Amino acid sequence: MQTVLGAGGQIAEELTRELHRNHTHDIRLVSRNPREVNDSDQLVSADLMDAKATKAAVAGSDTVYLTVGLPMDSGL
């Protein structure tokens, strides 16, 4: 499972397309309001400022990509 945190932005969308095209179809997209990029994407709604929600969203992932801009003092 490849998980993209902050799915919904331009970088996440391009990363998701590249992963699907050349690496895996086992992709999880995580954001407050995730949208499918590929037919096989798994969507998870989570607030990434909530540590418990983020931990649950990445559970079972082999690789996690952080494509969201977080404040420097966020503690994540």
Side-chain angles (χ1 to χ4, degrees), residues 8-71:
Q10 183 176 358
I11 292 171
E13 186 171 327
E14 291 303 317
L15 171 61
T16 301
R17 290 184 196 286
E18 174 64 19
L19 289 171
H20 189 266
R21 208 173 18 245
N22 294 307
H23 302 286
T24 185
H25 290 186
D26 197 16
I27 302 169
R28 180 182 299 150
L29 303 179
V30 181
S31 70
R32 288 185 188 143
N33 300 297
R35 293 184 325 262
E36 191 176 83
V37 176
N38 307 292
D39 290 342
S40 59
D41 293 342
Q42 181 184 95
L43 305 180
V44 175
S45 180
D47 180 349
L48 299 180
M49 296 301 290
D50 178 332
K52 286 183 180 182
T54 302
K55 185 176 180 179
V58 301
S61 299
D62 298 312
T63 305
V64 177
Y65 303 90
L66 180 63
T67 63
V68 64
L70 295 174

